[in-house]
Amino acid sequence: MPALQALRPRLAPVALAVGFAVAGCLIGTFYHPAPWRPFGPGAYLLTLLIALPLALREKRAFGVLVVTGTGFAGYLLLGYQPSLNFWCPAVAFVSVCARERRGRVILGTVLLAVVIALSGVYGRLPWPVTVVQALIVPAVAGAVGLTQRRLAQRNAELRRLTLLLDEQQRQEARRAVLDERFRIARELHDTISQHMTIVTLQTGLAQYTFHSDPAAAHQALGIAATAGRETLDDLRRLLVVLRTYDLGGGATSSAQDPSVPADPSAPIPDDLLAGIDRIPALAERLEAAGLRVVVHFSGARRPLHPGIELCAYRVVQEALTNVVKHSGARAAEVTVAYLDQELRVTVLDEGAVDDAPGAFTSALGSGHGLIGMRERAKIWHGSLTAEARPGGGFQVRLRIPLEQNAAPKKDTLQDRDRDRDRDRDSG
């Protein structure tokens, strides 16, 4: 069945073949000048043999040329008028030039030239006319066939490029979805982690002191409730930002009506996006968890891109949360330095009293926070290092160049995989 389907001709070649066959038979019936033989059964059979194979010229071009050329030569040798069936071998040769390899094209050229020359001889044309005809017909048919070949190659290349573009668009769509998932996961992790750390610690303290010190338990529950309310507020702000704004600087959709596009140049309102100015308030909240945080600012403070402000705030938040959750240190220091061409943020902790060689690894937690911090830094062409301090404790350093603060970088999935492998190896 597949072989039969491969041989099945298309409608256009079939129509052309039938047209040549019908035209040849009709002309041969009514037009048979002397001295050529009048049409008989043999002439009709030869006409059908020469014309009808053209229906398969797109599938078996060289074979069709051999059949039509041989049939036309036999037709001429039997003495029938050479003006009929003349163009069938030429049409078959067009398909040979369009589809066959070079060797068969050369053989087809020779065959067609011989057949055309034979028609000139039997047509009693002058020999110069016979020679010119034998050269021009293959040349014109070959030019047409080569043009069809080039068009077919260009169409094939266009189809290949179309498929490639479609695949790239699919990959870009998939990457955009994964990027958005990573972005949402990163924001949720950084938003919830610090508040939930306080809630967990304070509710644990309240449970421990519930009977022995009701006042302390009551205070701890109050702190946990405040942290829970702040979590809800942060989540509401985060959802508005994720639905409405691009952290690269542009708005993407309307929070009130998602079907109405927002202004791409609309800035993110300050009350929706955490920034560097909220770091002191973050330090005050961590006082309830037992961590004393000292915040220092240096350099000329100035407003930065909202995405850079958020990046710096989230790095400080995650680093301090890891101190509370894992290191056991009682004090930490945050330094924000505004330089001419760079923003530097450093988070240091003094380390626990019983620091062990593995304390730094545990201070980094599960590794997701460190990966998220590095992803944030990379988006803004920055860098982040987290390492143990020689005297105990550990430090996190963030550096963001300010001359590129309006051009966030799209990190790739390969970059994320490489960062994860590096963090896993360091851990």
Side-chain angles (χ1 to χ4, degrees):
M1 292 299 294
L4 293 177
Q5 292 178 357
L7 291 174
R8 183 180 300 170
R10 294 192 303 119
L11 181 59
V14 171
L16 181 65
V18 172
F20 272 118
V22 172
C25 292
L26 288 177
I27 295 174
T29 301
F30 298 102
Y31 178 73
H32 41 79
W36 294 285
R37 295 174 56 184
F39 254 53
Y44 287 111
L45 289 176
L46 285 173
T47 299
L48 296 178
L49 177 64
I50 295 170
L52 291 181
L54 293 176
L56 299 175
R57 63 191 177 89
E58 293 186 349
K59 303 293 184 181
R60 299 288 186 268
F62 188 76
V64 170
L65 175 62
V66 171
V67 172
T68 57
T70 304
F72 186 51
Y75 171 88
L76 294 172
L77 292 175
L78 290 177
Y80 297 108
Q81 53 177 316
S83 60
L84 296 182
N85 302 318
F86 177 87
W87 291 108
C88 292
V91 172
F93 181 67
V94 169
S95 298
V96 170
C97 293
R99 291 171 174 82
E100 298 289 354
R101 57 182 181 270
R102 179 178 299 179
R104 289 191 171 184
V105 171
I106 295 175
L107 291 177
T109 303
V110 174
L111 176 59
L112 180 62
V114 170
V115 171
I116 297 300
L118 185 63
S119 70
V121 171
Y122 276 85
R124 302 177 183 181
L125 298 176
W127 72 265
V129 177
T130 300
V131 173
V132 171
Q133 180 177 268
L135 295 176
I136 289 180
V137 172
V140 172
V144 175
L146 293 177
T147 301
Q148 290 184 358
R149 179 190 291 269
R150 286 192 291 268
L151 288 176
Q153 291 173 346
R154 290 176 182 176
N155 290 336
E157 180 67 12
L158 180 60
R159 285 193 297 270
R160 187 189 69 82
L161 294 176
T162 300
L163 292 175
L164 180 61
L165 178 60
D166 181 68
E167 180 62 23
Q168 289 178 344
Q169 289 177 342
R170 291 176 184 272
Q171 292 179 357
E172 285 296 319
R174 177 178 175 272
R175 188 185 70 85
V177 171
L178 292 178
D179 284 346
E180 190 66 13
R181 287 173 58 186
F182 279 118
R183 172 185 155 186
I184 293 173
R186 185 168 58 235
E187 294 297 330
L188 289 176
H189 174 275
D190 294 345
T191 300
I192 296 176
S193 179
Q194 185 246 342
H195 291 300
M196 290 298 100
T197 297
I198 296 176
V199 170
T200 301
L201 292 176
Q202 295 302 316
T203 53
L205 177 61
Q207 183 181 17
Y208 182 76
T209 61
F210 186 77
H211 297 290
S212 60
D213 192 348
H218 180 76
Q219 182 181 6
L221 289 175
I223 295 173
T226 301
R229 286 190 294 271
E230 292 176 350
T231 302
L232 291 176
D233 292 338
D234 285 347
L235 282 175
R236 292 190 186 98
R237 286 194 294 268
L238 175 61
L239 290 175
V240 172
V241 171
L242 290 177
R243 282 189 61 187
T244 310
Y245 298 95
D246 180 3
L247 295 184
T252 58
S253 64
S254 173
Q256 291 78 16
D257 185 0
S259 64
V260 179
D263 181 7
S265 62
I268 303 176
D270 293 337
D271 59 341
L272 292 180
L273 204 59
I276 295 175
D277 58 336
R278 296 189 183 181
I279 292 179
L282 172 65
E284 292 180 3
R285 286 200 302 268
L286 289 172
E287 293 283 349
L291 178 66
R292 182 173 57 87
V293 182
V294 179
V295 181
H296 300 285
F297 291 94
S298 64
R301 296 183 62 178
R302 57 191 184 274
L304 303 177
H305 191 285
I308 293 181
E309 294 265 351
L310 177 63
C311 175
Y313 177 84
R314 293 303 189 201
V315 167
V316 173
Q317 183 185 42
E318 178 63 23
L320 293 178
T321 300
N322 283 337
V323 173
V324 174
K325 291 169 61 176
H326 304 291
S327 75
R330 310 304 299 173
E333 180 180 347
V334 178
T335 302
V336 181
Y338 289 85
L339 305 180
D340 292 337
Q341 302 295 328
E342 187 177 72
L343 175 70
R344 293 183 184 177
V345 179
T346 305
V347 181
L348 308 174
D349 80 87
E350 62 184 12
V353 177
D354 56 346
D355 260 351
F360 171 63
T361 301
S362 64
L364 296 179
S366 63
H368 296 293
L370 180 60
I371 293 173
M373 288 190 288
R374 282 182 172 152
E375 288 177 352
R376 288 184 182 278
K378 186 177 297 183
I379 289 175
W380 296 100
H381 308 275
S383 62
L384 184 136
T385 59
E387 57 189 2
R389 300 174 62 193
F394 72 103
Q395 62 184 4
V396 175
R397 296 184 183 274
L398 170 68
R399 301 176 62 182
I400 299 179
L402 298 181
E403 67 273 10
Q404 303 184 49
N405 60 12
K409 174 185 176 183
K410 295 294 186 182
D411 55 338
T412 64
L413 299 178
Q414 292 81 1
D415 293 335
R416 293 196 184 99
D417 292 338
R418 184 170 59 251
D419 292 342
R420 285 176 172 79
D421 292 339
R422 180 178 58 188
D423 296 334
R424 189 181 303 112
D425 294 338
S426 66

